[in-house]
Amino acid sequence: MSSGSSSLMWFRKGLRIHDNPALEYASKGSDFLYPVFVIDPHYMKPDPDAFSPGSSKAGLNRIRFLLESLSDLDSNLKKLGSRLLVLKGEPSEVLNRCLKEWDVKRLCFEYDTEPYYQALDVKVKGYASAAGIEVFSPVSHTLFNPADIIRRNGGRPPLTYQSFVKLVGDPSWASSPLSITLSSLPPIGSFGRCEISEVPTVEELGYEKTQQDEHSPFKGGESEALKKLRESIEKKEWVANFEKPKGDPSAFLTPATTVLSPYLKFGCLSSRYFYICLQDLYKNVKSHTSPPVSLAGQLLWRDFFYTVAFGTPNFDRMRGNKICKQIPWNDDDELLQAWREARTGFPWIDAIMIQLRKWGWMHHLARHSVACFLTRGDLFVHWEKGRDVFERLLIDSDWAINNGNWLWLSCSSFFYQYNRIYSPTSFGKKYDPNGDYIRHFLPVLKEMPKEYIYEPWTAPESIQKKAKCIIGRDYPKPVVAHDSASKECKRRMAEAYALNQKLTGLVSEEDLRNLRRKLEEDEKPEVKNKRQRKLIG
DNA sequence: TCGCAGTTGGTGTT
DNA sequence: AACACCAACTGCGA
């Protein structure tokens, strides 16, 4: 036990030194400071049954990104005369033990709106206050405090971006400078009986070196985040003229966006600091784009989804989710797996799914393409299934934003124009007529002439032979015929919307079953056959 | 009740 | 590149 007063800084997200009010408060007026990260085996230990290398919750790319972020945090803490203390176990148990053992007087951690942390934090705060420990848990992950916004909107979250923007105005902290640097931190006290370790490597967590052939080109950590931020901000014209929907989803050597999302997800980069940098830049240019399409607009989108997610019970499900249209999605594991394993037979779709697996990141519009294809566009598979795959494989997967976007793309909420379907062939062609993106991520199609690379099943046999890629043998035939599949999807969406309107959203399991049967009966036999033959040309 | 707006569709024309 | 047209949804505010 240490003499003198001790504070414990509990890192979860917010893996940074800059703009970290919890860390700043923890370091003030304390004789000892314990900076802690708890590795929860449920999140980190290898799961051999998962469909990709990684734990039961996270793909290896994100685990690696997290470990890199922790190492960087450790070295940044060391520059301030401290270090990161890594502990293992169920977080609330580990924390309770540390609080006792180190006689902690003050516990600090960034507030988190996700259901997982909401539940965990209730436990931890309960213990701390019973023991008379001061708890400081500021909101610093987002620009605004979602709870404030919801309160100011009469207890309900705003459900459109425009109404959100109108409501929030400028962030309250923007007029006073953020605390970007710390000069030093109090020393660490004695560990007592608590078992402390260094930041582990992926191998130390039990992962084989050979488990992944190509891994994400994006390296975790605050230092990398700030470097990337500076590189983006230096391109003044590019930032000022940024229009999200105009980006090129097929650009991979130089992505069309900042790729700061994974750093925002783990809090390696403060969204508030990013926002201030953008405002500074905007002040110094002749003209600049505006929300929703501007870069600052992207940060507002992030806050928008955080706010709606926080204020909507069962946000991550269809059932019991008041803002989610009830739609009789298919339960087709075969189609889901084809999508997940990049075997749909649509090169544009499959290349994106390979990039997801290898890089843990792809362009926003590429995500739109594959999400639309899986759900309302072609396969009519439940958005929750696609959400699970993204949640596991994306290095930037963020609970509120990922669920929000799946609700959006599946036309379950926020966006309702289900007639607008991304073509799994022409959408990509428009940006990359030569198919370089496909050639890179699907080398099996490397030699396919550009006339056929988006629809290789239409290539004559002689061309397939010459390209050393026989469709049906070296690369799959398409799992659906897009024309008939998308027509059928539209028909189902129309019926489902009509039912939701008729029952004013109160659609029961039974209503959905009945609709499923009706849709089955009404389906024109020729469409059905074509669809079920799973394929063609 | 009506008209309008909504970050990012597809296709065809100029 | 910019526009019209297609076919047409919802939520919101007047």
Side-chain angles (χ1 to χ4, degrees):
Chain A
M1 217 176 271
S2 318
S3 58
S5 76
S6 298
S7 292
L8 194 158
M9 170 63 200
W10 179 22
F11 286 98
R12 304 102 66 84
K13 294 174 189 160
L15 303 178
R16 62 174 183 264
I17 305 295
H18 74 282
D19 183 32
N20 193 332
L23 177 62
E24 205 182 343
Y25 189 76
S27 70
K28 271 186 195 148
S30 298
D31 299 314
F32 302 104
L33 171 66
Y34 295 86
V36 162
F37 186 89
V38 183
I39 287 189
D40 185 345
H42 287 115
Y43 191 85
M44 302 287 256
K45 80 165 191 266
D47 178 3
D49 296 327
F51 72 79
S52 78
S55 69
S56 62
K57 299 264 182 238
L60 195 47
N61 273 324
R62 193 165 70 254
I63 289 174
R64 185 180 285 107
F65 192 96
L66 170 57
L67 295 179
E68 288 164 353
S69 301
L70 293 175
S71 290
D72 186 59
L73 179 62
D74 183 42
S75 69
N76 289 339
L77 287 167
K78 281 174 177 157
K79 287 175 199 155
L80 298 171
S82 185
R83 64 165 281 200
L84 187 65
L85 309 174
V86 176
L87 293 108
K88 290 183 184 132
E90 199 286 310
S92 69
E93 283 170 25
V94 170
L95 230 47
N96 288 355
R97 226 179 309 130
C98 293
L99 291 174
K100 266 185 226 160
E101 188 70 23
W102 300 337
D103 193 23
V104 170
K105 294 278 185 290
R106 183 187 280 177
L107 169 65
C108 303
F109 55 92
E110 185 179 63
Y111 187 79
D112 198 304
T113 51
E114 276 181 36
Y116 170 80
Y117 286 104
Q118 289 280 307
L120 177 58
D121 294 355
V122 164
K123 279 201 264 181
V124 172
K125 278 180 185 166
Y127 173 80
S129 38
I133 296 167
E134 178 194 356
V135 175
F136 182 66
S137 185
V139 174
S140 50
H141 188 62
T142 45
L143 303 179
F144 304 93
N145 180 348
D148 278 352
I149 303 303
I150 291 167
R151 205 176 308 123
R152 277 167 50 194
N153 195 47
R156 293 170 308 277
L159 293 175
T160 66
Y161 182 80
Q162 297 301 347
S163 63
F164 174 82
V165 170
K166 218 164 123 185
L167 183 71
V168 297
D170 288 319
S172 56
W173 42 263
S175 45
S176 54
L178 290 176
S179 173
I180 299 307
T181 52
L182 280 174
S183 49
S184 72
L185 290 169
I188 291 164
S190 72
F191 298 157
R193 284 166 298 172
C194 290
E195 220 175 290
I196 304 295
S197 67
E198 300 287 324
V199 177
T201 61
V202 282
E203 289 79 19
E204 282 164 354
L205 287 176
Y207 296 97
E208 308 273 338
K209 265 211 160 88
T210 52
Q211 266 183 325
Q212 212 177 8
D213 48 9
E214 178 185 343
H215 63 73
S216 181
F218 306 116
K219 190 174 169 252
E222 178 181 18
S223 305
E224 185 71 14
L226 292 173
K227 186 176 138 220
K228 270 186 120 71
L229 174 67
R230 276 192 294 274
E231 282 167 5
S232 289
I233 293 284
E234 269 168 27
K235 299 183 284 179
K236 274 195 174 185
E237 286 303 300
W238 182 82
V239 172
N241 297 319
F242 185 90
E243 284 183 65
K244 186 67 169 280
K246 291 199 175 157
D248 176 356
S250 71
F252 61 97
L253 294 172
T254 312
T257 52
T258 61
V259 198
L260 287 170
S261 54
Y263 304 92
L264 290 167
K265 180 242 152 64
F266 285 108
C268 300
L269 175 64
S270 156
S271 63
R272 314 194 299 178
Y273 179 54
F274 188 7
Y275 185 86
I276 284 194
C277 291
L278 289 172
Q279 298 304 327
D280 275 354
L281 186 146
Y282 290 152
K283 267 182 239 154
N284 295 312
V285 291
K286 279 194 220 87
S287 69
H288 60 84
T289 52
S290 300
V293 298
S294 64
L295 261 188
Q298 305 314 301
L299 287 173
L300 292 168
W301 276 108
R302 178 172 178 272
D303 264 57
F304 169 68
F305 283 128
Y306 265 86
T307 306
V308 182
F310 184 59
T312 307
N314 303 313
F315 184 71
D316 58 357
R317 304 210 311 253
M318 178 177 84
R319 302 295 313 166
N321 180 348
K322 281 214 167 73
I323 67 168
C324 182
K325 291 252 183 276
Q326 303 298 303
I327 294 166
W329 302 109
N330 283 341
D331 192 17
D332 191 325
D333 270 354
E334 229 178 277
L335 289 174
L336 171 67
Q337 272 178 41
W339 178 82
R340 196 176 74 187
E341 315 292 335
R343 292 189 277 102
T344 68
F346 290 94
W348 170 248
I349 299 298
D350 292 340
I352 294 168
M353 295 307 286
I354 297 281
Q355 189 186 19
L356 168 61
R357 217 167 253 260
K358 295 198 163 169
W359 288 28
W361 181 91
M362 65 284 206
H363 187 275
H364 191 65
L365 290 177
R367 301 180 192 202
H368 277 217
S369 275
V370 295
C372 178
F373 184 84
L374 179 71
T375 58
R376 67 183 170 85
D378 288 85
L379 306 187
F380 218 69
V381 169
H382 205 306
W383 62 268
E384 291 172 13
K385 303 277 187 177
R387 183 274 320 279
D388 289 342
V389 173
F390 272 30
E391 188 164 290
R392 173 180 186 80
L393 294 177
L394 284 171
I395 53 174
D396 62 16
S397 83
D398 182 298
W399 185 80
I401 299 171
N402 191 31
N403 280 291
N405 277 309
W406 277 95
L407 283 163
W408 185 295
L409 259 298
S410 63
C411 281
S412 296
S413 198
F414 306 115
F415 176 80
Y416 307 95
Q417 287 174 265
Y418 58 76
N419 281 297
R420 295 188 185 173
I421 291 173
Y422 291 88
S423 162
T425 54
S426 25
F427 185 71
K429 214 182 282 177
K430 169 167 86 176
Y431 299 96
D432 179 18
N434 191 46
D436 294 335
Y437 176 80
I438 293 169
R439 290 173 212 281
H440 183 265
F441 287 105
L442 286 176
V444 67
L445 287 164
K446 213 170 175 168
E447 291 173 49
M448 190 62 71
K450 68 173 195 292
E451 290 74 19
Y452 302 106
I453 193 158
Y454 283 88
E455 298 111 325
W457 64 93
T458 64
E461 219 183 306
S462 60
I463 302 274
Q464 296 187 23
K465 266 192 192 143
K466 209 173 149 209
K468 298 187 213 76
C469 180
I470 306 300
I471 302 309
R473 187 189 75 191
D474 305 312
Y475 181 72
K477 293 179 181 174
V479 288
V480 290
H482 174 65
D483 280 352
S484 52
S486 59
K487 266 200 195 95
E488 173 62 13
C489 284
K490 285 189 240 184
R491 188 178 74 89
R492 294 182 187 196
M493 290 300 284
E495 294 270 7
Y497 269 39
L499 184 68
N500 277 266
Q501 197 162 61
K502 189 176 139 209
L503 301 177
T504 56
L506 300 168
V507 181
S508 68
E509 294 277 10
E510 200 191 340
D511 296 326
L512 277 186
R513 269 198 302 277
N514 290 338
L515 179 55
R516 227 175 240 118
R517 197 162 30 206
K518 179 175 186 292
L519 286 166
E520 195 74 18
E521 280 163 12
D522 295 353
E523 190 171 354
K524 291 196 186 73
E526 65 269 25
V527 175
K528 187 171 182 172
N529 290 339
K530 209 170 175 186
R531 196 166 57 75
Q532 289 184 345
R533 232 186 315 146
K534 297 190 173 167
L535 134 22
I536 289 260

